[in-house]
Amino acid sequence: MKVLQYQVQRRNEASSLEEPTGEAYNLFAFPSECNFSGLRFSLDLVKIIKEDPARILEGSPFCNGRWMVLIDAAKGSATEPPDLSLYPADFVVMSFYKLFGYPTGLGVLIARNDASRLLKKTYFSGGTVATSIADIDFVRRRKSVEELFEDGTISFLSIASVHHGFKILNSLTVSAISRHTASLAWYVRKKLLGLRHENGARVCTLYGDSKALFHDFGPTVSFNLKRSDGSWSGYREVEKLASLSGIQLRTGCFCNPGACAKYLGLSHLDLRSNFEAGHVCWDDHDIIHEKPTGAVRVSFGYMSTFEDAKKFIDFVTSSFIALPNWIESGYQLMQGSESRLGAASFYLKSITVYPIKSCAGFNVESWPLSTTAGLLHDREWVLASLSGEILTQKKVPEMCFISTFIDLDKGILFVESPRCQVKLPINFITDSCNGGSEQIKLNGQRYEVQSYKNEVNIWFSNAIGRPCTLFRCFSSSHNFCLNKIKSASMRREVQSVLNFSNEAQFLLISEESVSDLSHRVSTKDVQKGACGAASQISPMRFRPNIVISGGEPYAEDGWKILKIGNKYFTSLGGCNRCQMINIVHDEAGLLQKSNEPLATLASYRRMKGKIFFGILLKYERSEPVGRDGDLWLQVGQDVHPNVS
């Protein structure tokens, strides 16, 4: 065993660092089991450090001091708690949550009596002093170590549950738990290492010492997956697909940046570069510069079963191994210039406008285009929390119950909610002068926005059940002409291309593609023996602006340029779907969540970690600047794909 010598690091630089004498106390802390890889460390380190520190710390001036040892047994004590009669550590820290799964936020420090007397505190709080005087520096602390260090009211309700946790462990015995969990981890490790793609490439990269594959490992398996071409599958992709299969995984660096950097081969430069690229803990940036930023971890406990382990292996096999015809028979993602046009004809089936981001939209027979921001007034308003966070259905599902409608003749946005008795009219011509203006940030873009009077914000706060503020984007251009009605024209020239849309001006969905998806979901339900009538998936589940009809399913995948009426649009590619499409609200006004249709889409519409359905469009204005022309879309208009 070797120790890497690092430069001494201190929060405050000392003018000089004296060489420690034999009376100086030093602390050596190490985990009994690595929470990243599951690798167990030899507890012989306790005796070596205490009795012969020079054996490991050779050449270091610190080998002269008195060494005390702390074992971090939070992970290891669940299956192999340290025997303090054999390994006389001075301190041991443990986590009840990792022992029993409950309670969270409650740990324990085990300290030897002689070692505990060396611990000092420079502050005090409730329950830790015998007496104190408020206005002078006088305090007498309690003498027993538990009274001295347990600040404030302890979590006595959680402590009461610890008794029941130990009762379970004692009934099962730790040795039996250790054998049980080790066999599950061994099975998963062996199966993962044996997985191969059709071309023979390994599917899985395990982290930890390969020589110690079947020995010296706890019930933890940490890994990343590779595609057949050698590229990595991101841990977020694995986690998202696993959750659709009812499997909960831990992903990322597991609060262990040292082991994470070591096993993933990330240099200091890599870590800084990843941060500068926008990566922070718990985000979705799982692959940066073609390198993973974290890993996937499977952990087993006394309640885990062989069926759990096998289900996980089956999940990896079915979702991440490329075999001949690995994508099920049917329509696959179109790439390049391919298309299945033939003699098929397409037409515009419906138009939907969503004035307020993440709220319900309304269907129209015809609607004007903004020359730079898609459909006129589409996602022109947004709700924000009092702290400035932009609110969406991902965090506030109740937003889907807010219905909207715009009367272009009157210049009024009407808003309704089942939680509000009064319909709210917002005049977006006259009301635009009533509120102040400010800047907000969304998706890395800065917006100039208009705020509204307090009564408007109170209405929306009641509608979603939390305080919020309504903003209107006025940094986007609304250069259009209402030439189908007798209202006055309105024009505002401001440089922008999007209102509050996430990725593009328009989302197009094919009615035939939705029908094919519904059939696949229904077939899967029948195969699983699900009872009851299969529910038909509505195109509105995907919040499209444009729904087309005609042709074959997924023909839109291969489109590059299309013409609707006399308007030209450019395809920006497929729309990456998330779990929001699994949430629907029923007629009773209740939210229902399932794994579908995202689970089915993942089985045949997944590419490079993304699940595509529908295409994103950008409007290509053909009229010269200053001439508005007929900037309207009309239901029933012909759709001509891949026009030159």
Side-chain angles (χ1 to χ4, degrees), residues 352-591:
T352 307
V353 184
Y354 304 91
I356 305 176
K357 182 178 178 65
S358 271
C359 293
F362 62 96
N363 293 332
V364 292
E365 287 296 312
S366 61
W367 197 257
L369 294 170
S370 164
T371 55
T372 58
L375 293 171
L376 179 64
H377 302 308
D378 186 60
R379 279 159 284 208
E380 192 170 312
W381 287 265
V382 71
L383 291 176
S385 68
L386 298 186
S387 63
E389 179 187 13
I390 302 301
L391 301 181
T392 65
Q393 284 191 35
K394 285 186 177 181
K395 293 189 175 180
V396 190
E398 295 81 6
M399 292 178 69
C400 68
F401 297 120
I402 298 178
S403 59
T404 58
F405 176 74
I406 288 180
D407 189 323
L408 289 176
D409 288 311
K410 297 179 180 179
I412 296 178
L413 165 64
F414 294 98
V415 190
E416 290 186 89
S417 168
R419 293 184 174 183
C420 300
Q421 297 180 355
V422 180
K423 179 190 295 187
L424 177 67
I426 300 175
N427 191 310
F428 49 79
I429 297 178
T430 61
D431 289 352
S432 62
C433 302
N434 293 334
S437 63
E438 56 186 277
Q439 283 192 346
I440 63 173
K441 196 173 182 180
L442 175 66
N443 298 329
Q445 173 104 18
R446 223 167 253 292
Y447 292 85
E448 294 284 340
V449 296
Q450 163 211 324
S451 58
Y452 286 86
K453 288 185 175 180
N454 197 39
E455 52 263 30
V456 173
N457 296 328
I458 291 176
W459 190 96
F460 280 100
S461 298
N462 293 332
I464 66 173
R466 65 179 69 189
C468 65
T469 304
L470 180 70
F471 291 113
R472 182 188 183 189
C473 174
F474 61 81
S475 62
S476 293
S477 171
H478 300 290
N479 184 10
F480 69 100
C481 181
L482 298 177
N483 58 355
K484 288 202 171 187
I485 56 179
K486 296 181 180 180
S487 299
S489 296
M490 178 178 70
R491 181 175 304 172
R492 284 181 294 184
E493 291 289 347
V494 185
Q495 190 67 32
S496 184
V497 294
L498 289 177
N499 283 339
F500 293 116
S501 303
N502 285 341
E503 297 180 272
Q505 297 171 345
F506 303 88
L507 170 61
L508 179 147
I509 294 291
S510 161
E511 197 174 48
E512 278 64 34
S513 300
V514 176
S515 178
D516 177 76
L517 173 60
S518 294
H519 174 71
R520 291 171 183 265
V521 173
S522 299
T523 302
K524 181 188 289 188
D525 290 341
V526 170
Q527 292 173 347
K528 289 182 177 179
C531 56
S535 58
Q536 189 73 10
I537 296 174
S538 167
M540 293 301 106
R541 175 83 73 95
F542 305 95
R543 293 178 64 83
N545 297 111
I546 296 172
V547 177
I548 62 167
S549 185
E552 295 185 10
Y554 315 108
E556 66 274 13
D557 289 343
W559 297 354
K560 291 186 175 180
I561 299 176
L562 61 150
K563 182 180 178 184
I564 304 177
N566 60 351
K567 312 294 181 303
Y568 289 86
F569 300 83
T570 298
S571 171
L572 303 179
C575 179
N576 183 25
R577 312 312 310 210
C578 67
Q579 295 197 20
M580 290 307 300
I581 64 175
N582 290 341
I583 301 176
V584 294
H585 61 277
D586 56 24
E587 297 178 355
L590 300 175
L591 293 171

Side-chain angles (χ1 to χ4, degrees), residues 199-251:
N199 60 5
R202 282 186 179 271
V203 175
C204 182
T205 297
L206 290 177
Y207 298 118
D209 186 1
S210 60
K211 296 178 181 178
L213 177 61
F214 306 119
H215 308 283
D216 301 324
F217 270 98
T220 297
V221 183
S222 181
F223 62 92
N224 270 313
L225 301 176
K226 277 190 171 183
R227 303 185 181 96
S228 57
D229 62 0
S231 62
W232 295 97
S233 293
Y235 59 79
R236 282 294 187 213
E237 176 187 358
V238 180
E239 181 182 18
K240 182 165 69 172
L241 295 178
S243 67
L244 295 174
S245 299
I247 300 173
Q248 301 302 317
L249 302 172
R250 177 82 186 269
T251 61

Side-chain angles (χ1 to χ4, degrees), residues 60 79 81 118 161 188 252 309 363 366 381 436 482 537 552 621 625 640:
S60 170
T79 54
L118 299 174
S161 64
V188 168
N363 293 332
S366 61
W381 287 265
L482 298 177
I537 296 174
E552 295 185 10
R621 182 176 181 181
V625 176
H640 302 283

Side-chain angles (χ1 to χ4, degrees), residues 28 39 57 145 175 179 287 345 368 484 581:
F28 177 79
L39 186 66
L57 302 173
V145 65
S175 59
R179 291 193 301 271
I287 303 291
S345 61
K484 288 202 171 187
I581 64 175

Side-chain angles (χ1 to χ4, degrees), residues 19 40 95 398 608:
E19 184 172 313
R40 285 175 174 152
S95 167
E398 295 81 6
K608 294 289 185 180

